[in-house]
Amino acid sequence: MAILKSYGACLRDSTFQFPHPSRADNYKSRRNVKGGSPQAAVIPNFHLPMRSLEVKNRTSAEDIKALRLITAIKTPYLPDGRFDLEAYDDLVNMQIENGAEGVIVGGTTGEGQLMSWDEHIMLIGHTVNCFGGSVKVIGNTGSNSTREAIHATEQGFAVGMHAALHINPYYGKTSLEGLVSHFDSVLPMGPTIIYNVPSRTGQDIPPLVINAVAKSRNLAGIKECVGNDRIEQYTGNGIVVWSGNDDQCHEARWSHGATGVISVTSNLVPGLMRELMFGGKNPSLNAKLLPLIEWLFQEPNPIGLNTALAQLGVVRPVFRLPYVPLPLAKRVEFVNLVKEIGRENFVGENDVKVLDDEDFILVGRY
């Protein structure tokens, strides 16, 4: 009750003043001299104070900048396509026990693109409520629609996420000025990681844009997939970067100044990925993991990961379409990789299996 009272006082004492211009004032402000063209009206963003008032969930960008190993966590499903929260909780617990410091919820790996926003925000809130005291919860609330990104990010912070992950507008691409305006619209809400993956979005976020938005105290850093030369360009200027490429993250961390990695592979071998990020330069361990990483990304992510986790028996072999499992020959390859690396290094306790094609369930309506 005391919290609610203080929240009400916060709203009453808020310095937010919402403008109410008259229609005539608005018209006059957008007119040039007689005969000129109307100018675009710039409408400022006013974000409601939707952050959780609980101290445990208050996180600064500096807290996020310190993270070395962040796992882009998988979302498992029940046979009817709904979330399997029991399996999900086990996956997150295994990440925490093996040293992951943060999880991306509903990212590409977690198939946020196949979720409704209700599912998406629910899963972020569930993760915060169950694990927010042990791991940083970073919600993927980005969108190619700025309006949608604003709304989802407000909701994500309202349910307690520690930071937001934001992609640049994909498919319906915008100009460089539009990219800056898009990110400026969401940065005021809380700690933010900007995600640059041109292979998926069809558009690079160039340093010009990052340098423009880096003035915000809420910019925690960049998840960069262009390569290590770009990473070094940022880190040389004091901008925090996580490698978004598991096959390059060892060199990125120890030779190019990256803070760490936002990893897919750590879903499978979190302990080894932590060692790769914390234990100093280790080319032998990196070489040991490269065949697994190459196997994981032979088809678009998360197809390989979904297949592997099903083979390890830690999630049901259920796929939301359009994702389908890797073919039998590739599943045999994974069994051999597990034996080479050591079953003890992988999540779960069941023996790795090849699985038959009939074992997999493909769900188109859920």
Side-chain angles (χ1 to χ4, degrees), residues 1-13 53 58:
M1 182 61 71
I3 292 177
L4 290 175
K5 287 180 180 177
S6 65
Y7 183 75
C10 173
L11 289 177
R12 287 194 303 272
D13 296 340
L53 295 178
R58 288 182 180 167

Side-chain angles (χ1 to χ4, degrees), residues 272-342:
L272 294 183
M273 290 302 295
R274 179 181 171 88
E275 187 177 342
L276 204 64
M277 291 297 101
F278 282 82
K281 214 163 191 180
N282 193 337
S284 61
L285 175 58
N286 189 53
K288 183 179 181 178
L289 288 172
L290 279 176
L292 173 64
I293 295 170
E294 291 170 2
W295 182 91
L296 271 176
F297 291 96
Q298 61 192 304
E299 294 289 353
N301 181 51
I303 292 171
L305 177 65
N306 292 353
T307 305
L309 288 171
Q311 290 185 250
L312 291 168
V314 294
V315 304
R316 289 178 170 86
V318 180
F319 282 64
R320 282 186 174 183
L321 290 170
Y323 299 123
V324 297
L326 290 175
L328 179 62
K330 297 300 180 181
R331 301 200 297 270
V332 171
E333 286 180 15
F334 179 69
V335 170
N336 293 330
L337 283 169
V338 172
K339 291 176 181 177
E340 290 170 13
I341 296 172

Side-chain angles (χ1 to χ4, degrees), residues 67-99:
L67 306 179
R68 299 286 184 265
L69 175 60
I70 302 171
T71 297
I73 196 75
K74 150 75 177 167
T75 306
Y77 304 114
L78 296 168
D80 61 3
R82 291 177 299 134
F83 293 163
D84 184 347
L85 291 179
E86 183 178 352
Y88 177 82
D89 290 351
D90 288 342
L91 289 177
V92 178
N93 264 319
M94 286 185 277
Q95 292 299 315
I96 294 169
E97 290 170 0
N98 286 279

Side-chain angles (χ1 to χ4, degrees), residues 224-263:
E224 182 58 74
C225 296
V226 164
N228 288 337
D229 289 342
R230 175 72 64 81
I231 288 175
E232 189 164 348
Q233 185 176 352
Y234 287 136
T235 58
N237 291 324
I239 296 174
V240 169
V241 185
W242 293 270
S243 175
N245 300 326
D246 284 351
D247 60 340
Q248 299 177 355
C249 70
H250 175 261
E251 289 302 309
R253 171 80 174 98
W254 301 110
S255 300
H256 298 277
T259 291
V261 64
I262 296 178
S263 177

Side-chain angles (χ1 to χ4, degrees), residues 207-229:
L208 181 70
V209 171
I210 298 302
N211 291 336
V213 300
K215 301 178 181 69
S216 171
R217 65 180 182 179
N218 281 332
L219 181 67
I222 315 300
K223 178 184 177 183
E224 182 58 74
C225 296
V226 164
N228 288 337
D229 289 342

Side-chain angles (χ1 to χ4, degrees), residues 16-289:
F16 285 113
Q17 297 295 325
F18 292 88
H20 298 282
S22 70
R23 196 174 288 178
D25 289 341
N26 197 33
Y27 174 80
K28 282 188 257 184
S29 66
R30 287 154 49 193
R31 289 287 295 179
N32 279 329
V33 294
K34 188 175 181 179
S37 301
Q39 295 179 340
V42 178
I43 303 174
N45 289 312
F46 294 96
H47 300 295
L48 297 176
M50 298 183 73
R51 290 298 303 273
S52 170
L53 295 178
E54 297 181 57
V55 174
K56 69 177 182 180
N57 287 335
R58 288 182 180 167
T59 305
S60 70
E62 297 304 314
D63 295 325
I64 304 301
K65 289 177 181 180
L67 306 179
R68 299 286 184 265
L69 175 60
I70 302 171
T71 297
I73 196 75
K74 150 75 177 167
T75 306
Y77 304 114
L78 296 168
D80 61 3
R82 291 177 299 134
F83 293 163
D84 184 347
L85 291 179
E86 183 178 352
Y88 177 82
D89 290 351
D90 288 342
L91 289 177
V92 178
N93 264 319
M94 286 185 277
Q95 292 299 315
I96 294 169
E97 290 170 0
N98 286 279
E101 301 167 294
V103 290
I104 303 288
V105 178
T108 306
T109 304
E111 301 180 20
Q113 63 275 14
L114 303 186
M115 297 178 190
S116 69
W117 278 114
D118 286 343
E119 288 181 311
H120 209 133
I121 299 303
M122 181 278 288
L123 192 60
I124 293 171
H126 172 83
T127 310
V128 171
N129 289 334
C130 294
F131 307 104
S134 303
V135 70
K136 296 300 182 190
V137 178
I138 303 162
N140 171 32
T141 54
S143 172
N144 59 349
S145 160
T146 304
R147 177 193 62 81
E148 202 168 84
I150 290 170
H151 184 60
T153 304
E154 285 178 334
Q155 290 185 316
F157 280 125
V159 299
M161 71 181 183
H162 301 108
L165 180 74
H166 278 284
I167 198 80
N168 51 309
Y170 48 89
Y171 188 70
K173 298 179 288 187
T174 185
S175 63
L176 297 186
E177 292 81 1
L179 290 179
V180 173
S181 293
H182 177 80
F183 293 128
D184 280 345
S185 296
V186 293
L187 275 164
M189 282 180 266
T192 299
I193 296 173
I194 291 177
Y195 180 17
N196 186 32
V197 55
S199 63
R200 288 189 180 270
T201 64
Q203 182 181 36
D204 181 32
I205 306 174
L208 181 70
V209 171
I210 298 302
N211 291 336
V213 300
K215 301 178 181 69
S216 171
R217 65 180 182 179
N218 281 332
L219 181 67
I222 315 300
K223 178 184 177 183
E224 182 58 74
C225 296
V226 164
N228 288 337
D229 289 342
R230 175 72 64 81
I231 288 175
E232 189 164 348
Q233 185 176 352
Y234 287 136
T235 58
N237 291 324
I239 296 174
V240 169
V241 185
W242 293 270
S243 175
N245 300 326
D246 284 351
D247 60 340
Q248 299 177 355
C249 70
H250 175 261
E251 289 302 309
R253 171 80 174 98
W254 301 110
S255 300
H256 298 277
T259 291
V261 64
I262 296 178
S263 177
V264 175
T265 308
S266 55
N267 278 278
L268 299 175
V269 287
L272 294 183
M273 290 302 295
R274 179 181 171 88
E275 187 177 342
L276 204 64
M277 291 297 101
F278 282 82
K281 214 163 191 180
N282 193 337
S284 61
L285 175 58
N286 189 53
K288 183 179 181 178
L289 288 172

